[in-house]
Amino acid sequence: ILKTLNSWFWWENIWMPINCTWADFVDREGLVFPKPHQLYATIPYAFVLLIIRFFSERYVAIPLAKALGIKNVRRVKPQPNPVLESYFRECSRHPSQSEIRGLAKKCNCTVHLVEKWFRRRRNLEIPTVLRKFREAFWRFSFYLTSSIVGFIFLYDKPWFYDIWQTWVGYPFQTLLPSQYWYYMAEIGFYWSLLFTLGIDVKRKARAVLDRLYLYFLLSCQDFMAHVVHHLAAIGLMSGSWCGNYVRLGTLVMFVHDTADFWLEAAKMFNYAHWEKTCNILFIIFSITFFITRIILFPLWILRATLYLPTYYSTTPVLAYFVFNGMLLTLQGLHLYWGYLIFKILKRFIFLK
């Protein structure tokens, strides 16, 4: 069954134009093609990024946070109690008064001590400001680096200025070393985020209510939403790699990264209570978001994926519908996020 499914998945009519086979994607003089098995390397690259993250957070983010006035708050741990710990993990973090009285009898202690234990135990689950700052610093560092490096990789390429060039010669477009490393870093980064979801700060919807003008939707996704998002990003990039849609893939990654580091910078200064700087950075983020994801993405990227392929082939392959369906879904999210950002800016400008 697995062998049959594998043969169906790699059927040429899904991935490439008619009269092309996987045998045509063998490296030859002057041409180098992306190969699906190269994606296995993104897993060790993800662990390399985790090591870089550890040292950057420890030796750069923490000193920077102290310089900005962020202190490391040490929370008091509750006394070890297997009964209360089991109830906290398996039943409820906010027991009712009747449940507290029952637990007090079971543990042979006072109601006040049980309430105090649960309060301290809940506080341990709340991430400190320093921990939030460290995560924001890591994301800021990666998105800023990927934006700068992406621009260096793309600025001298003809398809960066003429979107028609993304399809010239397809599918026999050679893979450049810069494109290889760009893909490996991006996919590895999302793998690393997936690996640390269990220990990273879990973002709650009430954070948006506390500081609405900063957090918007990206900070109110729960654990499963992050899992789905990271897997979708990895799947989309990996699929574009296998189908040799590398030119378009690098443009999509560049368009998305250029707005994200402004948001992470705004978060960092928000944690440090530099409100004016935070507000300025959020306004810059909003402008960048609208330019890149509401204007450039549909008029530049989607035009290249939906409209231009019809000039090169009258029979679109299945990948055309799959990838464009995912990109259109992504654009729907952009519009929704843009609507929320607009509401936040409206509140910020008119309600102060």
Side-chain angles (χ1 to χ4, degrees):
I1 293 175
L2 292 176
K3 188 176 181 180
T4 303
L5 291 175
N6 184 66
S7 64
W8 288 354
F9 182 81
W10 295 111
W11 184 35
E12 284 90 347
N13 289 353
I14 295 178
W15 295 95
M16 58 191 69
I18 295 176
N19 300 326
C20 288
T21 65
W22 291 112
D24 297 323
F25 280 78
V26 176
D27 294 348
R28 47 189 182 271
E29 187 175 353
L31 287 176
V32 178
F33 299 104
K35 302 167 186 63
H37 68 81
Q38 292 174 319
L39 295 174
Y40 291 123
T42 59
I43 302 297
Y45 289 149
F47 286 102
V48 172
L49 286 173
L50 288 176
I51 295 173
I52 296 173
R53 174 180 177 176
F54 172 79
F55 284 102
S56 65
E57 287 186 359
R58 186 181 183 91
Y59 296 107
V60 182
I62 293 178
L64 179 60
K66 291 180 179 178
L68 293 174
I70 298 174
K71 298 179 180 179
N72 187 19
V73 179
R74 296 184 181 274
R75 294 195 171 97
V76 180
K77 293 183 178 181
Q79 293 292 328
N81 190 311
V83 175
L84 298 182
E85 182 67 27
S86 176
Y87 192 90
F88 180 87
R89 291 182 176 275
E90 300 174 7
C91 299
S92 174
R93 299 184 178 189
H94 298 271
S96 62
Q97 283 299 317
S98 59
E99 292 170 334
I100 289 176
R101 287 193 293 269
L103 289 170
K105 291 181 180 179
K106 193 173 183 179
C107 298
N108 195 23
C109 61
T110 64
V111 171
H112 174 71
L113 288 176
V114 174
E115 292 176 338
K116 185 178 180 180
W117 189 95
F118 272 93
R119 185 166 59 251
R120 287 183 173 180
R121 185 64 181 84
R122 286 192 298 267
N123 287 339
L124 288 180
E125 299 291 310
I126 302 174
T128 63
V129 175
L130 180 61
R131 184 179 169 190
K132 293 179 182 179
F133 182 91
R134 287 163 50 189
E135 287 190 20
F137 174 81
W138 166 242
R139 293 170 187 264
F140 165 79
S141 301
F142 180 84
Y143 289 134
L144 178 62
T145 303
S146 63
S147 298
I148 295 173
V149 172
F151 179 76
I152 294 172
F153 286 165
L154 290 168
Y155 86 98
D156 61 342
K157 305 300 185 295
W159 54 86
F160 189 62
Y161 306 96
D162 182 9
I163 200 67
W164 285 88
Q165 295 294 324
T166 56
W167 293 105
V168 173
Y170 181 83
F172 303 112
Q173 297 171 342
T174 189
L175 175 69
L176 303 175
S178 60
Q179 293 171 329
Y180 172 84
W181 288 111
Y182 199 9
Y183 260 81
M184 294 298 109
E186 288 281 344
I187 300 177
F189 175 71
Y190 279 101
W191 276 123
S192 70
L193 293 182
L194 200 60
F195 295 156
T196 58
L197 270 181
I199 59 176
D200 282 345
V201 175
K202 296 178 176 61
R203 311 182 192 283
K204 302 293 185 178
R206 57 177 173 267
V208 183
L209 302 178
D210 295 338
R211 295 301 293 273
L212 183 63
Y213 68 88
L214 179 64
Y215 277 90
F216 76 104
L217 183 68
L218 291 181
S219 296
C220 66
Q221 299 177 52
D222 59 11
F223 180 83
M224 288 307 300
H226 276 91
V227 172
V228 173
H229 173 269
H230 298 337
L231 287 176
I234 293 170
L236 188 58
M237 288 186 285
S238 301
S240 66
W241 176 268
C242 295
N244 200 18
Y245 303 106
V246 173
R247 292 183 180 181
L248 279 168
T250 52
L251 293 177
V252 172
M253 292 187 290
F254 178 73
V255 165
H256 281 77
D257 288 345
T258 49
D260 289 340
F261 70 86
W262 293 106
L263 176 66
E264 300 302 330
K267 288 182 184 179
M268 290 164 57
F269 283 99
N270 174 57
Y271 299 144
H273 300 291
W274 289 36
E275 292 199 1
K276 289 184 179 180
T277 306
C278 168
N279 295 338
I280 293 171
L281 289 171
F282 183 77
I283 292 174
I284 296 174
F285 158 74
S286 303
I287 295 171
T288 308
F289 182 93
F290 281 107
I291 292 174
T292 56
R293 304 197 191 186
I294 306 299
I295 299 176
L296 283 181
F297 187 79
L299 300 182
W300 192 40
I301 302 296
L302 288 182
R303 176 172 170 267
T305 60
L306 286 168
Y307 176 65
L308 299 189
T310 59
Y311 280 83
Y312 295 95
S313 176
T314 56
T315 55
V317 294
L318 184 60
Y320 171 87
F321 300 100
V322 173
F323 290 131
N324 278 304
M326 298 174 71
L327 291 173
L328 288 171
T329 303
L330 188 59
Q331 180 58 22
L333 289 173
H334 293 165
L335 294 174
Y336 179 59
W337 290 336
Y339 166 72
L340 292 178
I341 296 171
F342 177 77
K343 288 179 65 176
I344 296 165
L345 288 176
K346 185 178 178 182
R347 288 174 55 116
F348 174 71
I349 294 171
F350 295 103
L351 301 181
K352 302 299 181 183

